[in-house]
């Protein structure tokens, strides 16, 4: 029999042998998703009592063996108990791209159960820290009315400024960046295809500016590909985005085993 060398620190049975060592790392907004973006968010939704449905699309021939079936697309949909809010893992479902990155989570809400359409949607690519998406969903779940705004846009910038982010010099009421000028959050024109129930989003001309929404992204170096991106439709309540922004910019370290290549040299780390 083997006796543990450090009995006061029991091994985590869920950690497979040979797994990379774990570190506490920071800053959070550059730490990536540890390649666990689905698991970390889905665990949160399960704890909130949301129902998960797997949708599989493909082609099935009669008398075809299961291993020969052609699954073309599949998604996982998580729905809140009141069915007013839902989160869709779309990475395996040929998602469209944001900042040239594939969108992993699409989170939406509607005003009432009589409407089949989302009042707003928000989008998160790979490598968005799972902690920030999970906190955003917890705040969404706690709302009685997921489509009613409680605060103005100042709450978003106040949230990141409280963690040392710098307001944009030219637009102090519409943007901020972290002290290393790597990650940004900005209120402005929404990218195409962002779903929103605001009628102005459907009636504007090509040369007109539509309703403004929040965008966030991390650009490891000037002109380099983005590490991650997040987009919020114009109708997403500002207080919900403020929760995401506060979690994203938090100075508390996060646990990681796999670090993004683009930012690993910028991360402070301590063995966990």
């Amino acid at each position: 029999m083997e006796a543990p060398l450090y009995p006061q620190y029991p091994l985590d049975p869920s950690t497979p042998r040979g797994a990379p060592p774990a570190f506490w790392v920071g800053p959070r907004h550059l730490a990536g998703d540890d390649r666990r973006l689905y698991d970390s968010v889905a665990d949160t939704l399960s704890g909130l009592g949301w129902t998960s449905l797997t949708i599989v699309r493909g082609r099935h021939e009669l008398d075809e063996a299961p291993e020969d079936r052609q699954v073309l697309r599949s998604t996982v949909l998580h729905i809140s108990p009141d069915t007013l809010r839902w989160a869709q893992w779309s990475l395996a479902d040929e998602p469209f791209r944001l900042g040239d990155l594939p969108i992993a989570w699409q989170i939406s809400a509607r005003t009432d159960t009589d409407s089949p359409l989302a009042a707003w949607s928000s989008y998160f690519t790979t490598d968005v820290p799972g902690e920030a998406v999970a906190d955003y969903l917890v705040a969404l779940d706690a709302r009685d009315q997921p489509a009613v705004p409680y605060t103005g846009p100042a709450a978003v910038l106040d949230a990141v400024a409280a963690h040392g982010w710098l307001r944009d010099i030219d637009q102090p009421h519409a943007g901020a960046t972290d002290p290393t000028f790597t990650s940004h959050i900005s209120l402005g024109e929404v990218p195409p295809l962002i779903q929103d129930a605001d009628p102005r989003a459907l009636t504007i001309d090509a040369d007109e500016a539509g309703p403004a929404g929040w965008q966030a992204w991390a650009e490891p170096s000037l002109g380099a590909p983005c590490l991650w991106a997040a987009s919020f439709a114009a109708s997403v309540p500002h207080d919900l985005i403020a929760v995401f922004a506060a979690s994203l910019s938090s100075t508390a370290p996060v646990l990681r085993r796999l670090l993004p290549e683009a930012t690993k040299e910028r991360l402070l780390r301590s063995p966990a």
Side-chain angles (χ1 to χ4, degrees), residues 45-46 49-53 77-81 87:
L45 295 174
S46 177
W50 289 35
T51 300
S52 63
L53 304 170
L77 184 66
H78 299 259
I79 306 173
S80 66

Side-chain angles (χ1 to χ4, degrees), residues 7 27 146 189-190 192 217:
E189 186 176 356
V190 177
W217 68 97

